[in-house]
Amino acid sequence: MQFSGGNRKRLRLGGDQRNACYPHSLQFYLEPPSENISLIEFESLAIDRVKLLKTVENLGVSHVKGTEQYQSKLEAEIRRLKFSFRENVENEYERRRRDHISHFILRLAYCQSEDLRRWFIQQEMDLLRFRFSILPKDKIQSFLKDSHLHFEAVSMVL
């Protein structure tokens, strides 16, 4: 990741290229971002990601994870902070970009100690679980395929 002062260069991609960068609202963050961002955007993304992960932590303490109340409050906070969480939303590229870059900023910031790493990983796992749980079934299959995770669906046995 490179940082620049006032001369901010933004990656300009067409519709298909933008979708290729982030084909799903869910990411495994395998590749670090490579574009230049301003220091102001860097700070803003870091602060917003910390707010989101703190919300994940607080909701996990005050509500049962996976309940309707937990999910609706987490969804509202994700929407408020303009992060990606739903498939098929207009102008989703910028939200997915924010999600991608901010994850790596905090990954760097929270690698300083074992306690910070544990906290960061736990909140990111809870966020991933939430995002995975709201994916439509066809998008789950597409995500697993694109992530090179090969699973066979099993039927429910009663």
Side-chain angles (χ1 to χ4, degrees):
M1 187 177 313
Q2 298 176 10
F3 309 101
S4 61
N7 297 337
R8 185 172 153 189
K9 295 177 186 174
R10 189 145 276 210
L11 191 58
R12 302 278 183 217
L13 300 171
D16 288 343
Q17 291 172 319
R18 292 170 72 130
N19 291 338
C21 287
Y22 305 115
H24 303 284
S25 61
L26 194 57
Q27 298 181 53
F28 276 146
Y29 311 106
L30 300 175
E31 294 291 323
S34 59
E35 67 181 274
N36 293 335
I37 64 171
S38 70
L39 193 52
I40 292 169
E41 184 179 19
F42 182 94
E43 180 182 29
S44 172
L45 290 173
I47 290 168
D48 288 348
R49 187 66 171 218
V50 169
K51 287 178 184 175
L52 176 60
L53 295 183
K54 282 289 190 188
T55 299
V56 169
E57 177 184 38
N58 292 338
L59 288 175
V61 170
S62 59
H63 298 84
V64 176
K65 294 175 188 172
T67 62
E68 189 175 319
Q69 191 174 25
Y70 171 87
Q71 291 198 322
S72 67
K73 287 186 178 195
L74 185 51
E75 187 172 319
E77 184 67 9
I78 292 171
R79 185 178 289 122
R80 186 182 72 77
L81 293 171
K82 298 182 175 107
F83 283 106
S84 175
F85 70 98
R86 289 250 186 234
E87 293 288 332
N88 302 326
V89 177
E90 290 296 316
N91 301 323
E92 191 65 1
Y93 171 80
E94 185 58 32
R95 291 173 181 264
R96 292 176 185 182
R97 178 187 162 275
R98 287 174 50 80
D99 181 57
H100 183 224
I101 294 171
S102 67
H103 170 85
F104 277 93
I105 292 170
L106 288 199
R107 187 187 276 192
L108 289 171
Y110 280 77
C111 71
Q112 296 175 36
S113 72
E114 187 61 33
D115 288 340
L116 289 173
R117 274 191 297 275
R118 266 194 224 111
W119 181 86
F120 176 72
I121 290 169
Q122 183 61 56
Q123 305 327 308
E124 287 286 341
M125 285 187 334
D126 289 346
L127 184 58
L128 177 72
R129 265 189 219 105
F130 165 74
R131 288 176 169 166
F132 190 82
S133 73
I134 63 172
L135 276 179
K137 291 195 186 313
D138 62 322
K139 297 294 183 182
I140 289 173
Q141 292 304 316
S142 176
F143 170 73
L144 293 174
K145 181 183 176 205
D146 291 347
S147 300
H148 306 291
L149 299 172
H150 306 288
F151 293 99
E152 274 187 47
V154 293
S155 60
M156 288 184 62
V157 179
L158 298 175

